[in-house]
Amino acid sequence: MRPHRALRSQNRLLSTAATLVCLAVGASAEAAPSYTLFESGQVRPLALSPSRNLLFAANTPDNRLEIFYVSSGGLTHISSVTVGLEPVAVAARNDGEVWVVNHLSDSVSVVDVSFALRPRVVRTLLVGDEPRDIVFGGPGRSRAFITAAHRGQNAPFDPQLTTPGVGRADVWVFNANAVASQPSLGGTPLTILSFFTDTPRALAVSPDGTSVYAAGFHTGNRTTAVHRAIVEDEGGMLPPFTNYLGVPQLTTSLIVQHDGTHWVDAGGNPWDDSVMFSLPDKDVFVIDATANPPVQRPGSAGFFTGVGTVLYNMVVNPANGKVYVSNTEAFNLDRFEGPGTFAGTSVRGHLHESRISVLGSGGSVLPRHLNKHINYSTCCAPVPNAENAKSLATPVDMAVTSDGSKLYVAAFGSSKVGVFQTAQIENDTFTPSLASQIQVTGGGPSGLALDQPRGRLYVLTRFDNSISIVNTTTNAETAHIALHNPEPESVVRGRRFLHDASFSSAHGDSSCASCHVFGDVDSLAWDLGNPDGDTVTNPGPFTNINPPFPADTSLKPMKGPMTTQSLRGMANHGPMHWRGDRTGGNDASTAQPDSGAFDERAAFEKFQGGFTNLLGRHAPIPDEDMEAFTDFILQLSYPPNPIRNLDNSLNTDQQAGRDHFFREGGAGTFSCNSCHTLDPDGNAGSSDFPGFFGTDGASIGQENGQSFKIPHLRNMYQKIGMFGMAPVPSLFHLGDNDFKGDQIRGFGFMHDGVMDTLFRFHQAIGFEQSVFSPNGFPPGAPGELLREQAVEYMLAFDTNLAPIVGQQVTLGSHNATAAWPRIDLLRQRAEVGECDLVAKLPFLLEETGLLYIGGGQFTAARAAAPPLSDLVLRSLAALTGHPVTYTCVPPGSGTRIAIDRDGDGFLDGDECDAGTDPADPTSH
């Protein structure tokens, strides 16, 4: 795809020799990949300009906004502009301005497209952690509403991560008319609204702009777990008590769900006295967009409950004002994987249902199952089959016709777009049919833009990073246009095996991503033991801290509830699953870095059983497909920690907690680090993803009733939001076990999510100071303080990437005082190797990229000119009026993002001068 270029080589003063680039990149960066996979879920990646003359597309892997001219002949790509890392949502404010939400950069790029051939970023707004969506509402649609998590280094508040009753979903509101001229670092919001749900995702706006709807993402389904010790004391384990061979099984925790009156288990038994909180399950919130400042509407008019478990997107019917919410509903109260022969029950082939929930007046919520044709009582017909062919999995983006009569639904897991009459959706009278579905090339439809006057639907297909054009009269795809994609071929090839439900399951509605949402978690626990399974051996290795917990090398098939683990960051971390039961340790001798139990490829390939026993596929996927899946998934990375300071320093409490984490009490004693190994250089030189971040892959025996792999600690901050736990005096010192009222999530810490806080975890018997653990927590107030400090450190725990990665700022003539110190910080972190620093600016009608090479010098995208000093670059913003946007990108990716987009070794500026395409590695 060739960006249109009218002018050529006037900006040679902003360039440098290509050899300087090689000299400037340190040894660690040389080993780093040029692309880092985050698998950020797109929310609203396509948008038409109000005039419908331009189509805007978020090129998520390439960190760009792509711009197409729309004509009767189709789409013509005319320009591209660099924004932040992982753009996931786009909204056109008018024909001359587009806002882009950058998920990993915690930012919003304001792009001037008044001259669409030469778009330019004029402002970068800094918001909370992992923003996802944007809409314009309020008076004259002059206010921008942006969802973000209630945390992040750019947030001007304490996130109160250890305080009960705090909402974890924020909506930042900006005056869109004022942000360009504000002198602040990253814009000044009118207000930041917080809502009582977990991390937010989607937004929608009423036809008149007076109401904005904000949805949580993992909003749950009123399930939680009762601690195994309480279950044992109450004699409350549900049958069967043995596996099919009659081997007695363990007492484990138990998942319960609130039925509106009581907390009950899968057998209908009440557990009210064992749950010390309530789950109001508020899912979607209503904002008065015209208030000054905007506020949540009061009382029951301000929220909807019971909308779904995982909420993806929303759209408003312009004719009747009803809100359609694409979502999935989880059935994690049900137990077991496998055929269900011995126990008579299994979730195989029926984990989630894909739905559209219709929100109406008076708080009404009408869930509509999109796959009513599926007969869940039978499983598992060979793929493909007629039932599978009609299924729609993982509904995400939607579009409604202007008269409100027709709804288009992107089924991300089915490579199709569903077409529904809205009246039939609202009345639940539709019949699933192939005739009302549109197959799209490429797979993974994630974004829709309806061009009704031209009879077209534009569909972004994430699997291959392309755009399909659909004729809405014939419901046929007429064109498929690829966006430039920097992802390695292994990523593109392997992605479908995470998301593609039509391939993964007989019913066609379940995939690995049903629970591992966009490769991460669903914030639930599932009891996926298999009573029809056998006891197997855990080959370890086990830590030398096992006494007095002798290693139990047996892995019984009925393991009890386990929270969904992320698929991020599995490389270099050994066996998989909470128990480490996906391991290569039984197939080869174990040794670091990659033999036996430390062979992550062998471990992941053990998940073949999940396709048959859990998703309900008729057979394992072909070996070559599993190889491709493995290649893909082991590249998936954790984002930077949003709690840690941007300069990678720790505050006083975090540092005290870290000191305790590493403190040993003398010979024969252990520290936290003795189990939860932190070594950012672990296996450096022999792994593409070095570092141990809370574990080196070893296991510990019987500390929690059975042996477990020691878990990593990179995502503790994601588990905040459940406060309240019944006393377990046999395992924990008594603390605050009072009823805590409303909470936003039902699962917290530990393998089964029963632990409400990290503080309570540190109250475990054995962690206190004694002759056996002299480095434990001391008694009284000093111990309480040290536990709090240990919690603070764990919430700010290291990840593979430094906190500065993704952060950016736009320097303009109006905000130099605020922006210069932030640029200094970005430079400092680049100089110590935590990131590559990229600068982009419009110059002489061309976007120019520059890469920081140290010593106060930048190099640009032409090989013939000397380096440019940092001071001169900063002065350009003031002297020319052209804003400069600085971004810290993952180490190793700077050259690609700044000066050699297609990675062919020919710099972008030189390719422009030569008339070749900087976005085509075969054109140079």
Side-chain angles (χ1 to χ4, degrees):
M1 181 178 61
R2 172 76 195 278
H4 180 79
R5 301 280 182 178
L7 297 178
R8 297 299 181 195
S9 58
Q10 292 95 330
N11 60 344
R12 294 181 183 276
L13 290 178
L14 300 180
S15 57
T16 190
T19 52
L20 286 176
V21 178
C22 299
L23 293 173
V25 179
S28 61
E30 285 179 2
S34 65
Y35 179 79
T36 301
L37 176 64
F38 296 104
E39 201 64 7
S40 302
Q42 293 175 325
V43 181
R44 197 181 307 274
L46 291 178
L48 282 163
S49 62
S51 65
R52 299 185 180 275
N53 291 327
L54 299 173
L55 177 70
F56 306 104
N59 190 338
T60 301
D62 203 27
N63 317 312
R64 284 178 174 257
L65 175 70
E66 308 290 353
I67 303 177
F68 294 84
Y69 176 66
V70 184
S71 68
S72 59
L75 298 177
T76 303
H77 185 264
I78 60 172
S79 59
S80 176
V81 62
T82 306
V83 288
L85 299 189
E86 301 288 294
V88 294
V90 178
R93 187 163 83 94
N94 50 49
D95 281 338
E97 188 174 285
V98 178
W99 292 38
V100 183
V101 177
N102 305 307
H103 185 65
L104 196 85
S105 285
D106 301 347
S107 69
V108 178
S109 299
V110 180
V111 184
D112 180 352
V113 295
S114 55
F115 181 30
L117 293 174
R118 300 290 178 263
R120 60 189 191 124
V121 175
V122 295
R123 185 66 152 137
T124 299
L125 305 179
L126 305 182
V127 296
D129 186 40
E130 297 186 333
R132 286 185 165 93
D133 201 7
I134 178 173
V135 296
F136 294 100
R141 306 276 182 147
S142 63
R143 292 170 173 173
F145 296 78
I146 300 152
T147 53
H150 188 74
R151 57 180 185 248
Q153 294 93 341
N154 297 319
F157 52 75
D158 176 1
Q160 297 178 285
L161 298 177
T162 58
T163 302
V166 176
R168 300 295 162 192
D170 288 350
V171 173
W172 293 53
V173 187
F174 290 89
N175 180 348
N177 294 322
V179 296
S181 59
Q182 290 174 339
S184 57
L185 174 66
T188 303
L190 292 172
T191 188
I192 302 173
L193 302 170
S194 294
F195 299 101
F196 201 70
T197 189
D198 212 342
T199 304
R201 180 173 158 93
L203 291 164
V205 60
S206 63
D208 60 5
T210 61
S211 293
V212 168
Y213 301 90
F217 187 14
H218 302 167
T219 58
N221 58 356
R222 290 180 172 164
T223 55
T224 188
V226 177
H227 196 283
R228 64 179 175 86
I230 298 175
V231 173
E232 188 168 39
D233 289 344
E234 298 293 330
M237 278 299 292
L238 296 175
F241 306 113
T242 72
N243 72 342
Y244 77 107
L245 292 174
V247 178
Q249 298 296 294
L250 301 165
T251 297
T252 69
S253 58
L254 196 62
I255 294 176
V256 297
Q257 186 172 39
H258 201 270
D259 65 2
T261 306
H262 300 287
W263 291 100
V264 296
D265 60 29
N269 305 299
W271 292 88
D272 295 342
D273 292 340
S274 302
V275 181
M276 306 307 291
F277 55 84
S278 54
L279 291 174
D281 197 25
K282 296 178 180 179
D283 294 348
V284 175
F285 301 83
V286 188
I287 301 168
D288 181 350
T290 63
N292 292 307
V295 294
Q296 181 179 352
R297 293 196 182 277
S300 59
F303 59 89
F304 293 85
T305 64
V307 177
T309 305
V310 179
L311 311 186
Y312 287 99
N313 282 68
M314 296 190 293
V315 69
V316 179
N317 187 315
N320 62 21
K322 292 183 178 179
V323 182
Y324 306 132
V325 186
S326 58
N327 68 91
T328 57
E329 180 73 354
F331 294 94
N332 61 314
L333 181 66
D334 298 332
R335 306 167 72 206
F336 305 137
E337 67 173 12
T341 304
F342 181 68
T345 180
S346 173
V347 299
R348 183 180 66 170
H350 195 193
L351 293 88
H352 289 253
E353 289 182 357
S354 295
R355 313 190 312 181
I356 300 294
S357 293
V358 182
L359 313 187
S361 60
S364 68
V365 178
L366 303 174
R368 304 307 189 206
H369 183 204
L370 296 179
N371 300 308
K372 296 185 291 183
H373 65 286
I374 293 178
N375 179 4
Y376 289 110
S377 66
T378 65
C379 189
C380 306
V383 173
N385 60 69
E387 183 185 72
N388 176 298
K390 290 191 289 186
S391 296
L392 297 175
T394 319
V396 286
D397 202 11
M398 295 169 287
V400 184
T401 54
S402 59
D403 64 359
S405 65
K406 188 177 291 185
L407 173 69
Y408 295 91
V409 180
F412 189 72
S414 302
S415 297
K416 292 185 287 189
V417 177
V419 187
F420 298 90
Q421 297 299 314
T422 55
Q424 293 182 352
I425 281 283
E426 292 172 10
N427 297 323
D428 202 18
T429 56
F430 67 93
T431 300
S433 168
L434 290 175
S436 59
Q437 298 173 359
I438 305 167
Q439 195 81 31
V440 289
T441 304
S446 59
L448 304 178
L450 180 60
D451 188 357
Q452 199 168 341
R454 294 185 178 91
R456 292 183 195 151
L457 180 71
Y458 307 110
V459 184
L460 198 150
T461 54
R462 181 64 188 93
F463 287 4
D464 67 345
N465 203 41
S466 300
I467 296 174
S468 291
I469 303 177
V470 171
N471 182 316
T472 56
T473 301
T474 63
N475 281 354
E477 181 181 281
T478 60
H480 192 68
I481 303 166
L483 306 180
H484 175 64
N485 191 353
E487 295 174 325
E489 192 272 337
S490 59
V491 168
V492 178
R493 185 179 68 249
R495 174 173 285 119
R496 70 173 291 220
F497 304 113
L498 172 64
H499 299 286
D500 189 348
S502 61
F503 176 81
S504 300
S505 60
H507 295 315
D509 68 338
S510 297
S511 70
C512 299
S514 296
C515 297
H516 299 282
V517 180
F518 297 114
D520 198 21
V521 300
D522 58 6
S523 303
L524 299 174
W526 297 78
D527 187 347
L528 300 179
N530 185 354
D532 294 295
D534 298 306
T535 300
V536 297
T537 299
N538 182 353
F542 291 88
T543 68
N544 59 358
I545 199 174
N546 276 307
F549 310 115
D552 180 0
T553 61
S554 64
L555 294 169
K556 292 182 169 59
M558 294 163 63
K559 57 189 176 181
M562 306 273 173
T563 56
T564 303
Q565 289 185 292
S566 180
L567 301 181
R568 297 168 168 175
M570 294 191 297
N572 201 47
H573 279 71
M576 298 169 190
H577 263 179
W578 280 104
R579 300 192 302 174
D581 52 26
R582 298 296 184 263
T583 177
N586 291 313
D587 304 323
S589 59
T590 293
Q592 291 282 13
D594 56 9
S595 179
F598 298 124
D599 182 350
E600 288 83 14
R601 295 191 62 84
F604 188 74
E605 289 172 3
K606 301 292 184 182
F607 281 102
Q608 271 280 21
F611 287 97
T612 53
N613 287 332
L614 186 56
L615 300 183
R617 199 177 192 274
H618 68 287
I621 66 174
D623 289 343
E624 60 270 23
D625 291 341
M626 194 66 196
E627 282 286 323
F629 191 10
T630 304
D631 290 339
F632 163 76
I633 209 68
L634 290 180
Q635 297 178 66
L636 188 56
S637 179
Y638 268 100
N641 188 300
I643 310 304
R644 203 175 179 110
N645 292 332
L646 289 179
D647 65 0
N648 215 4
S649 66
L650 300 174
N651 64 32
T652 301
D653 285 336
Q654 291 166 352
Q655 185 61 53
R658 187 184 192 279
D659 293 342
H660 176 75
F661 188 89
F662 284 94
R663 183 181 299 122
E664 295 186 0
T669 63
F670 303 93
S671 67
C672 303
N673 190 66
S674 300
C675 287
H676 293 283
T677 304
L678 173 60
D679 179 5
D681 296 320
N683 286 334
S686 57
S687 172
D688 291 336
F689 303 93
F692 302 136
F693 298 95
T695 182
D696 62 2
S699 294
I700 189 166
Q702 289 198 352
E703 187 175 1
N704 294 289
Q706 51 186 318
S707 63
F708 284 89
K709 176 192 168 183
I710 297 167
H712 74 91
L713 301 175
R714 286 168 289 187
N715 61 348
M716 296 297 97
Y717 62 88
Q718 288 183 295
K719 299 173 182 286
I720 294 296
M722 184 183 90
F723 294 84
M725 179 176 165
V728 185
S730 61
L731 296 173
F732 298 93
H733 295 288
L734 293 179
D736 182 1
N737 297 107
D738 295 338
F739 184 80
K740 290 297 182 183
D742 287 353
Q743 303 299 316
I744 63 171
R745 55 186 291 146
F747 299 95
F749 301 92
M750 300 293 288
H751 64 281
D752 49 8
V754 299
M755 190 71 56
D756 61 340
T757 67
L758 289 171
F759 184 88
R760 196 181 307 278
F761 171 75
H762 291 138
Q763 287 181 311
I765 294 173
F767 285 173
E768 72 280 4
Q769 195 175 74
S770 69
V771 294
F772 301 105
S773 55
N775 56 327
F777 295 104
E784 299 292 286
L785 175 60
L786 190 53
R787 286 183 176 90
E788 293 171 355
Q789 292 169 329
V791 169
E792 294 296 322
Y793 173 60
M794 293 176 70
L795 293 173
F797 207 77
D798 302 61
T799 73
N800 302 68
L801 295 170
I804 201 66
V805 171
Q807 294 298 311
Q808 57 178 179
V809 63
T810 294
L811 172 65
S813 58
H814 57 285
N815 71 338
T817 300
W820 276 47
R822 177 57 63 92
I823 298 169
D824 291 340
L825 175 64
L826 300 181
R827 263 190 56 184
Q828 291 164 6
R829 305 328 296 169
E831 286 173 349
V832 298
E834 291 183 354
C835 68
D836 290 350
L837 179 57
V838 168
K840 291 292 180 90
L841 73 157
F843 191 77
L844 297 178
L845 301 182
E846 184 178 280
E847 182 186 64
T848 296
L850 303 104
L851 176 65
Y852 186 66
I853 56 175
Q857 302 291 309
F858 282 84
T859 178
R862 288 178 171 85
L868 185 76
S869 76
D870 178 33
L871 182 60
V872 169
L873 180 57
R874 298 193 201 200
S875 300
L876 282 173
L879 295 176
T880 67
H882 296 312
V884 182
T885 299
Y886 299 78
T887 308
C888 264
V889 302
S893 63
T895 297
R896 173 181 61 80
I897 294 173
I899 59 177
D900 186 9
R901 184 181 180 190
D902 56 13
D904 62 358
F906 294 85
L907 301 185
D908 294 344
D910 292 333
E911 291 212 52
C912 288
D913 295 344
T916 58
D917 188 353
D920 182 357
T922 67
S923 169
H924 49 71

